[in-house]
Amino acid sequence: MATGRTPAEFTTALRAREQLIGYWSLLDSPIAAERLARLGYDYLAFDAQHGLFGYQGMLHNLLATDTKGSTAVGIVRVEANDPTYIGKALDAGATAVIVPLIDTAQDAADAVAAVRYPPLGRRSYGPMRAQLRIGPNPADTHAQTAVLAMIETADGLANVEEICATDGLDGIYVGPSDLRLAIGGTTSTDPSVQEDFEQALTRIRKAAEAAGIAAGIHNADGASAARRLAEGWTYVSIAADVVHLQQIATTHLDAARGGAR
């Protein structure tokens, strides 16, 4: 089993553009999170934007991620680029936040400000559980907590170089479904725009590389994640628990029906 990183070690590795692999969770199931955290992933990402849990669910899943034998830190995709949502996720113990719908460098700067305490930002002080994981001092928090901006809109793509150059931003994260729609896809998996989609991904990845920040992307499966790491993406998420539950249950059902015939 892989050795888990502390929040400080994870954030240092992320900022150094080391390769990291995470798992994406939509289900409010701390028991599942506890098991997933022991498998060797570098992080578990809890989706508060589209996932099926509220604040208590987010808190309980972050707690479960810190189980004995865990290899992962907990990170959260917050509901919106809002200081309240970002602050609550960090106070609950998230090591990083993924902030959706970043269209401009100013949006990215606002996300950074929501993560950092004054005078570097405007996060309200009240770390609650986070002080047990990261420490109560702002300097420690700044060193160990990361902010990641999602590139998933037409404006975000158009402004990606300026977004990546935002002071204090630790990385970007591509939402492929929204990005594919943003470049003209009729569905989230529309193959007719594949060439344009890959060109957009290359532009995003190179912008992050030029700025020296982490470049992350969402993936449907491990094989896709491996391909993106080989291309130069520095962290990848494999998604997601609710989808994989359905897939494996269907596989077993098909096998059982086939065996009965």
Side-chain angles (χ1 to χ4, degrees):
M1 180 177 291
T3 301
R5 289 185 170 95
T6 65
E9 291 167 340
F10 173 86
T11 302
T12 297
L14 181 81
R15 290 172 176 163
R17 290 175 49 86
E18 294 181 17
Q19 290 191 341
L20 301 167
I21 300 173
Y23 192 79
W24 197 266
S25 177
L26 297 167
L27 294 174
D28 181 2
S29 176
I31 299 301
E34 187 175 37
R35 286 179 175 265
L36 290 167
R38 297 169 59 89
L39 296 181
Y41 287 99
D42 296 300
Y43 64 91
L44 299 184
F46 300 106
D47 189 350
Q49 184 188 25
H50 294 301
L52 305 175
F53 47 70
Y55 177 78
Q56 288 298 319
M58 177 182 70
L59 174 63
H60 292 159
N61 279 276
L62 288 170
L63 282 163
T65 304
D66 295 335
T67 184
K68 180 181 179 181
S70 173
T71 66
V73 300
I75 72 176
V76 173
R77 175 163 71 172
V78 296
E79 293 97 314
N81 189 6
D82 182 284
T84 298
Y85 294 136
I86 292 171
K88 287 175 78 69
L90 294 174
D91 289 349
T95 297
V97 288
I98 300 174
V99 184
L101 299 172
I102 299 297
D103 291 332
T104 66
Q106 184 59 56
D107 288 343
D110 290 343
V112 172
V115 171
R116 309 298 177 211
Y117 292 116
L120 301 181
R122 56 191 301 258
R123 178 181 171 186
S124 177
Y125 188 81
M128 295 296 104
R129 178 173 178 265
Q131 64 185 307
L132 304 177
R133 292 279 293 146
I134 295 173
N137 297 325
D140 295 331
T141 300
H142 296 160
Q144 299 179 40
T145 302
V147 54
L148 308 165
M150 288 200 74
I151 306 297
E152 54 185 342
T153 65
D155 287 340
L157 178 60
N159 297 317
V160 67
E161 289 81 11
E162 292 82 5
I163 291 170
C164 287
T166 301
D167 187 36
L169 187 67
D170 296 301
I172 52 89
Y173 187 74
V174 172
S177 295
D178 280 313
L179 183 64
R180 194 178 291 265
L181 293 173
I183 63 172
T186 57
T187 70
S188 62
T189 58
D190 186 353
S192 70
V193 296
Q194 188 64 30
E195 183 175 352
D196 290 341
F197 178 72
E198 293 296 336
Q199 289 176 354
L201 291 186
T202 298
R203 177 180 176 182
I204 295 166
R205 176 171 51 80
K206 289 185 174 179
E209 182 180 8
I213 63 173
I217 187 168
H218 208 68
N219 300 271
D221 51 55
S224 300
R227 184 174 71 253
R228 296 306 184 190
L229 286 173
E231 291 172 354
W233 297 87
T234 66
Y235 70 104
V236 291
S237 299
I238 299 169
D241 49 10
V242 65
V243 176
H244 293 162
L245 177 63
Q246 178 178 340
Q247 289 173 343
I248 195 66
T250 300
T251 297
H252 285 292
L253 177 61
D254 290 344
R257 284 175 170 165
R261 284 195 291 268

